[in-house]
Amino acid sequence: MENWIFEYIEFLLPKHNCVIIPNFGGFIVNLEPSFTLNGSNTISSPKYNIVFNQELKHDDGLLASSIQTAKNISYQAACNAINDCVK
């Protein structure tokens, strides 16, 4: 996959918590909340874990819409660009 598509994924993940790359898979952001360690005055900070799920292949349109807007191209052209990257 070409590197330019990762810029869109990186931009979209914090706002949407899930970005699906059609016919490839999806990136999901999971929040681990902060907690206090038992018997101490230590508090862990919250963490974000990014996981990849290859079963998420159905196009929700989020990535293509973002590319369409940013590159000022048609939705179909954006879908074609994504498909070319996946190949």
Side-chain angles (χ1 to χ4, degrees):
M1 193 177 308
E2 294 183 28
N3 290 335
W4 66 266
I5 200 167
F6 289 112
E7 294 174 18
Y8 293 96
I9 295 167
E10 185 178 11
F11 174 77
L12 292 170
L13 267 177
K15 295 176 177 145
H16 298 279
N17 293 331
C18 180
V19 177
I20 297 172
I21 304 166
N23 302 312
F24 186 72
F27 291 95
I28 304 164
V29 176
N30 292 319
L31 172 63
E32 289 183 22
S34 62
F35 61 91
T36 304
L37 298 173
N38 290 337
S40 74
N41 292 331
T42 306
I43 299 174
S44 75
S45 54
K47 299 177 191 175
Y48 291 96
N49 292 318
I50 299 174
V51 296
F52 180 76
N53 184 337
Q54 65 185 7
E55 299 298 318
L56 295 174
K57 296 182 180 184
H58 180 71
D59 187 7
D60 63 357
L62 178 66
L63 183 58
S65 294
S66 178
I67 293 170
Q68 173 190 12
T69 301
K71 293 188 173 247
N72 196 24
I73 58 176
S74 71
Y75 183 83
Q76 187 59 49
C79 289
N80 292 340
I82 294 168
N83 288 333
D84 289 345
C85 285
V86 169
K87 290 177 187 175

Short mmCIF file of all heavy atoms in Angstrom, two decimals, residues 8-10 16 20 32 36 47 52-53 73 81 86:
data_model
loop_
_atom_site.label_atom_id
_atom_site.label_comp_id
_atom_site.label_asym_id
_atom_site.label_seq_id
_atom_site.Cartn_x
_atom_site.Cartn_y
_atom_site.Cartn_z
N TYR A 8 -4.26 9.87 5.58
CA TYR A 8 -5.70 10.00 5.79
C TYR A 8 -6.16 9.16 6.97
O TYR A 8 -6.99 9.60 7.77
CB TYR A 8 -6.47 9.60 4.52
CG TYR A 8 -6.23 10.56 3.40
CD1 TYR A 8 -5.27 10.32 2.44
CD2 TYR A 8 -6.96 11.75 3.32
CE1 TYR A 8 -5.03 11.23 1.42
CE2 TYR A 8 -6.73 12.66 2.30
CZ TYR A 8 -5.76 12.40 1.36
OH TYR A 8 -5.52 13.29 0.35
N ILE A 9 -5.62 7.96 7.09
CA ILE A 9 -5.97 7.09 8.22
C ILE A 9 -5.55 7.75 9.53
O ILE A 9 -6.32 7.80 10.49
CB ILE A 9 -5.31 5.71 8.06
CG1 ILE A 9 -5.90 5.00 6.84
CG2 ILE A 9 -5.49 4.87 9.31
CD1 ILE A 9 -5.13 3.77 6.40
N GLU A 10 -4.34 8.29 9.55
CA GLU A 10 -3.83 8.96 10.75
C GLU A 10 -4.69 10.17 11.12
O GLU A 10 -4.94 10.43 12.30
CB GLU A 10 -2.40 9.39 10.51
CG GLU A 10 -1.72 9.99 11.71
CD GLU A 10 -0.27 10.36 11.43
OE1 GLU A 10 0.16 10.34 10.26
OE2 GLU A 10 0.43 10.67 12.40
N HIS A 16 -12.74 9.39 14.60
CA HIS A 16 -13.77 8.40 14.31
C HIS A 16 -13.55 7.05 15.00
O HIS A 16 -14.43 6.20 14.95
CB HIS A 16 -13.88 8.19 12.80
CG HIS A 16 -14.28 9.43 12.09
ND1 HIS A 16 -15.58 9.85 12.00
CD2 HIS A 16 -13.54 10.38 11.46
CE1 HIS A 16 -15.64 10.99 11.33
NE2 HIS A 16 -14.41 11.34 11.00
N ILE A 20 -11.94 2.05 8.03
CA ILE A 20 -11.94 0.83 7.25
C ILE A 20 -11.33 1.09 5.89
O ILE A 20 -11.68 2.06 5.22
CB ILE A 20 -13.37 0.27 7.10
CG1 ILE A 20 -13.91 -0.09 8.48
CG2 ILE A 20 -13.40 -0.93 6.16
CD1 ILE A 20 -15.36 -0.47 8.49
N GLU A 32 -7.79 2.64 26.84
CA GLU A 32 -7.61 2.00 28.14
C GLU A 32 -7.62 3.14 29.16
O GLU A 32 -6.73 3.98 29.16
CB GLU A 32 -6.28 1.26 28.22
CG GLU A 32 -6.22 0.01 27.40
CD GLU A 32 -4.90 -0.73 27.59
OE1 GLU A 32 -4.21 -0.53 28.61
OE2 GLU A 32 -4.56 -1.50 26.68
N THR A 36 -5.70 3.52 39.26
CA THR A 36 -4.79 3.64 40.39
C THR A 36 -4.25 2.26 40.71
O THR A 36 -5.00 1.30 40.81
CB THR A 36 -5.54 4.19 41.62
OG1 THR A 36 -6.14 5.42 41.28
CG2 THR A 36 -4.59 4.41 42.78
N LYS A 47 -4.43 5.24 27.96
CA LYS A 47 -3.66 4.85 26.78
C LYS A 47 -4.61 4.59 25.63
O LYS A 47 -5.74 4.14 25.82
CB LYS A 47 -2.87 3.57 27.05
CG LYS A 47 -1.87 3.64 28.14
CD LYS A 47 -1.24 2.28 28.31
CE LYS A 47 -0.42 2.22 29.58
NZ LYS A 47 0.10 0.88 29.83
N PHE A 52 -5.58 -3.68 14.40
CA PHE A 52 -6.01 -3.91 13.03
C PHE A 52 -6.89 -5.15 13.00
O PHE A 52 -6.54 -6.18 13.58
CB PHE A 52 -4.80 -4.11 12.11
CG PHE A 52 -5.17 -4.35 10.68
CD1 PHE A 52 -5.60 -3.31 9.88
CD2 PHE A 52 -5.13 -5.62 10.15
CE1 PHE A 52 -5.96 -3.53 8.56
CE2 PHE A 52 -5.48 -5.85 8.83
CZ PHE A 52 -5.89 -4.80 8.04
N ASN A 53 -8.03 -5.06 12.35
CA ASN A 53 -8.93 -6.19 12.22
C ASN A 53 -9.14 -6.45 10.73
O ASN A 53 -9.77 -5.65 10.03
CB ASN A 53 -10.27 -5.88 12.90
CG ASN A 53 -11.22 -7.05 12.88
OD1 ASN A 53 -11.13 -7.94 12.05
ND2 ASN A 53 -12.16 -7.04 13.81
N ILE A 73 -11.73 15.32 -5.88
CA ILE A 73 -12.00 14.36 -6.95
C ILE A 73 -13.37 13.73 -6.69
O ILE A 73 -13.96 13.94 -5.63
CB ILE A 73 -10.91 13.27 -7.02
CG1 ILE A 73 -10.78 12.52 -5.70
CG2 ILE A 73 -9.57 13.87 -7.43
CD1 ILE A 73 -9.79 11.37 -5.71
N ALA A 81 -8.73 4.98 -6.23
CA ALA A 81 -7.39 5.22 -5.67
C ALA A 81 -7.14 4.30 -4.49
O ALA A 81 -6.03 3.75 -4.34
CB ALA A 81 -7.26 6.69 -5.25
N VAL A 86 -4.67 -0.82 -2.32
CA VAL A 86 -4.84 -2.14 -1.70
C VAL A 86 -4.21 -3.23 -2.54
O VAL A 86 -3.60 -4.17 -2.02
CB VAL A 86 -6.34 -2.44 -1.45
CG1 VAL A 86 -6.56 -3.89 -1.06
CG2 VAL A 86 -6.89 -1.51 -0.37
#
